[in-house]
């Protein structure tokens, strides 16, 4: 009897330890920007050196069909934080522009949205976001910070409020200039013709135009042009700056040792929170253009500046893993690595150097719902809890991180809204072999572009396209003439019947199936259309955060550490101590 009692006590103790080990771990979420799935050694790259990211794969799980909820930065990150399709929160655009471009826009992730950082903070987690935000800043004044990371559950913020543009780095060109020139040609022509016509009819006496009206018209045109020229001349100062919490600490942003600074902040945050659970989102600027790399990495890779940036990011991941080892936190920490979407294949520098990444065998890239735009790295490591060295080829989503870590923190999922993600832990631990995602809906901005269907009784992964982007030049792998692909009008081709692929047999999406080559063609389309109907009925009208009104630059929302007349300049970073980590 004593032996039996002792055995029961031992089993209870072991079970208690195991239960504790999967409850309230530290969470580190590492997100690259525009990284291609083919850029990493663990996904088949043999020329770029990514030993630290590969270490996550060796010691954890590699998701080989991990899908971004959107192929663009802003909506993908909104979905990641909320576990919901971005169209549900108004973070998907109906216009051509699908991301925030200016720090003084009024749109952003609505305060009504519940992020995983809010829920983890309520459970006693220390929370920090370091790096890129890109989900809005202010609503009505330059200091209401309604969309700031602090308003979404992060205790600490060190990073960029918008994103890393070519325009942020002198000599790297502009993502706006070509578009602005195209947009202004017709209005300037119309204005010129109108002015000349007014002068002619005034001169020949057909119409008497009051000089005051003509003067007002000219004044409005002049003021508009002055504001436009001022804005784009000072774009770098107005939109490319570094913040710590609510304070601007460097305006404009300096790229000198920038990754080292972000890494140091991450390491210091971990060091401050060794005795309590923490959530760290380290959102890299790499490898979005403008590309940059510090002196220790510049010129060291086999793929130019892009490769240098990838290898510098890998170094940073290694520093984070090392500091976990130093504080004996590795076994208590879930680490996740991903990219917000696929590589931007159209990124070519003015000198002709490829500045976009490699999406492996997959078609297309950023801004597209071809697999190259949405199939992203998905690596999860948690020693002793998650399988080591395992590969999972089931459809998963970056929205799945929300319910996974909320459950691990012993928090409750919101019951007043639909959460589109699913808890990954049973899959990661090998307790189940099938993903809960029977359907995944792929949006191009706010337009439903494609649907993925993984039937429970089949190995097939069907993908149905309702429209596809028109590549330019024709026959290429992207929209090089417009820099990104767009989602409507003359930029797309609609398909009736829709295009059908089986990704289990054709992951490169090379040959669409037909009724002749797939006997269940119409049955598959019928099921997918029914799923679309059900999904559409679950959507509710919400304010559009990416409307033109919310996207436009509003001077009264502009953050400035000095004044507009002083070109918004300050630098509280350069005098700081250098990074105290070894560059290996």
């Amino acid at each position: 009897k004593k032996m039996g009692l002792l055995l029961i006590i031992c089993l209870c103790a072991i079970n208690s330890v195991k239960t504790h080990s999967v409850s309230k771990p530290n969470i580190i979420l590492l997100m690259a920007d525009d990284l291609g799935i083919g850029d990493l050694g663990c996904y088949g790259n043999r020329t770029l050196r990514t030993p630290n990211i590969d270490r996550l794969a060796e010691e954890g799980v590699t998701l080989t069909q991990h899908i971004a909820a959107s192929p663009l930065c802003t909506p993908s990150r909104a979905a990641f934080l909320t576990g919901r399709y971005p169209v549900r929160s108004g973070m998907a655009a109906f216009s051509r522009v699908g991301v925030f471009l200016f720090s003084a826009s009024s749109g952003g992730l609505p305060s009504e949205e519940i992020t995983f950082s809010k829920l983890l903070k309520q459970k006693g987690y220390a929370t920090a976001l370091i790096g890129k935000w890109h989900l809005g800043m202010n609503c009505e004044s330059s200091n209401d910070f309604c969309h700031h990371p602090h308003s979404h559950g992060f205790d600490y913020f060190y990073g960029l409020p918008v994103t890393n543009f070519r325009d942020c780095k002198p000599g790297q060109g502009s993502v706006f200039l070509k578009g602005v020139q195209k947009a202004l040609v017709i209005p300037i022509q119309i204005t010129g013709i109108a002015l000349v016509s007014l002068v002619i009819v005034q001169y020949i006496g057909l119409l008497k135009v009051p000089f005051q009206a003509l003067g007002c018209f000219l004044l409005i045109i002049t003021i508009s042009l002055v504001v436009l020229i001022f804005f784009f001349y000072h774009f770098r100062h107005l939109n490319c700056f570094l913040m710590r919490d609510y304070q601007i600490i460097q305006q404009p942003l300096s790229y000198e040792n920038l990754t080292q600074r972000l890494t140091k902040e991450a390491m210091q945050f971990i060091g401050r929170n060794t005795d309590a659970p923490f959530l760290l989102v380290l959102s890299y600027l790499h490898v979005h253009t403008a590309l940059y790399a510090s002196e220790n990495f510049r010129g060291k890779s086999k793929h130019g500046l892009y490769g240098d940036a990838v290898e510098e990011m890998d170094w940073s991941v290694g520093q984070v893993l090392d500091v976990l080892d130093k504080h004996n936190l590795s076994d208590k920490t879930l680490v996740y690595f991903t990219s917000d979407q696929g590589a931007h294949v159209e990124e070519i520098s003015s000198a002709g150097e490829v500045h976009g990444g490699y999406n492996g065998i997959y078609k297309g890239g950023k801004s597209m719902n071809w697999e190259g735009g949405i199939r992203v790295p998905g690596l999860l490591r948690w020693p002793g809890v998650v399988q080591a060295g395992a590969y999972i080829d089931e459809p998963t989503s970056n929205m799945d991180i929300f319910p996974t870590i909320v459950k691990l923190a012993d928090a409750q999922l919101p019951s007043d809204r639909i959460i589109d993600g699913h808890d990954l832990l049973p899959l990661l631990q090998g307790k189940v072999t099938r993903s809960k995602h029977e359907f995944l809906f792929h949006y191009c901005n706010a337009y439903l572009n494609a649907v993925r269907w993984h039937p429970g009784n089949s190995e097939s992964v069907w993908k149905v396209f309702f429209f596809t982007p028109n590549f330019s030049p024709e026959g290429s792998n992207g929209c090089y003439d417009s820099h990104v692909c767009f989602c409507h009008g003359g930029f797309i081709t609609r398909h009736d019947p829709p295009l059908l692929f089986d990704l289990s047999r054709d992951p490169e999406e090379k040959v669409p199936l037909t009724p002749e080559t797939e006997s269940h063609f119409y049955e598959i389309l019928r099921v997918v259309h029914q799923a679309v109907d059900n999904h559409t009925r679950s959507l509710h009208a919400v304010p559009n955060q990416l409307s033109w009104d919310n996207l436009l630059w509003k001077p009264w929302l502009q953050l400035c550490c000095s004044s507009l007349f002083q070109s918004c300049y300050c630098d509280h970073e350069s005098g700081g101590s250098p990074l105290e980590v070894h560059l290996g």
Side-chain angles (χ1 to χ4, degrees), residues 530-569:
Q530 183 61 55
V532 168
D533 288 343
N534 294 338
H535 169 69
T536 303
R537 281 196 294 270
S538 77
L539 301 176
H540 303 287
V542 291
N544 182 5
Q545 298 297 321
L546 288 153
S547 65
W548 283 114
D549 177 55
N550 280 325
L551 284 171
L552 291 175
W553 178 60
K554 297 177 179 176
W556 58 93
L557 299 183
Q558 183 63 55
L559 291 170
C560 188
C561 61
S562 54
S563 72
L564 285 174
F565 299 104
Q566 294 173 304
S567 297
C568 294
Y569 177 83

Side-chain angles (χ1 to χ4, degrees), residues 283-429:
S283 176
Y284 289 104
L285 276 62
H286 287 319
V287 280
H288 196 293
T289 52
L291 294 178
Y292 69 95
S294 63
E295 187 177 346
N296 300 71
F297 295 92
R298 203 174 303 130
K300 303 294 174 63
S301 79
K302 294 181 180 179
H303 288 284
L305 188 54
Y306 183 89
D308 300 343
V310 172
E311 293 186 359
E312 182 172 47
M313 177 174 60
D314 179 79
W315 162 84
S316 173
V317 171
Q319 296 298 303
V320 172
L321 298 182
D322 288 348
V323 81
L324 290 177
D325 289 340
K326 175 185 172 183
H327 294 293
N328 297 315
L329 295 174
S330 295
D331 291 348
K332 304 173 186 175
T333 305
L334 173 66
V335 180
Y336 167 71
F337 180 89
T338 193
S339 177
D340 54 357
Q341 66 265 326
H344 192 173
V345 295
E346 297 96 344
E347 275 289 4
I348 309 292
S349 75
S350 54
E353 183 179 358
V354 175
H355 278 191
Y358 177 52
N359 292 316
I361 66 171
Y362 303 111
K363 186 175 183 176
K366 177 179 179 174
S367 81
M368 312 171 224
N369 281 304
W370 294 113
E371 289 296 283
I374 55 176
R375 194 181 288 225
V376 293
L379 304 170
L380 294 106
R381 187 196 79 164
W382 186 2
V385 179
V386 166
Q387 304 173 83
Y391 289 81
I392 295 175
D393 190 30
E394 286 285 299
T396 59
S397 169
N398 64 350
M399 296 183 292
D400 295 339
I401 297 304
F402 180 98
T404 302
I405 66 174
V406 167
K407 186 174 179 181
L408 287 172
D410 293 336
Q412 293 295 314
L413 288 175
S415 58
D416 63 340
R417 63 199 63 202
I418 292 173
I419 300 298
D420 297 298
H422 295 292
D423 181 12
L424 284 173
L425 201 60
L427 203 59
L428 300 176
Q429 292 183 307

Side-chain angles (χ1 to χ4, degrees), residues 426-478:
L427 203 59
L428 300 176
Q429 292 183 307
K431 293 180 179 179
V432 299
T433 57
R434 301 287 295 197
S435 166
K436 289 184 179 178
H437 287 291
E438 183 179 1
F439 297 97
L440 279 170
F441 301 93
H442 305 306
Y443 281 86
C444 185
N445 287 351
Y447 303 98
L448 185 59
N449 185 183
V451 177
R452 195 185 219 89
W453 178 34
H454 186 36
N457 60 351
S458 169
E459 294 303 312
S460 291
V461 179
W462 306 107
K463 190 174 177 186
V464 171
F465 275 96
F466 303 114
F467 64 85
T468 51
N470 297 329
F471 285 170
S472 56
E474 194 173 338
S476 66
N477 189 41

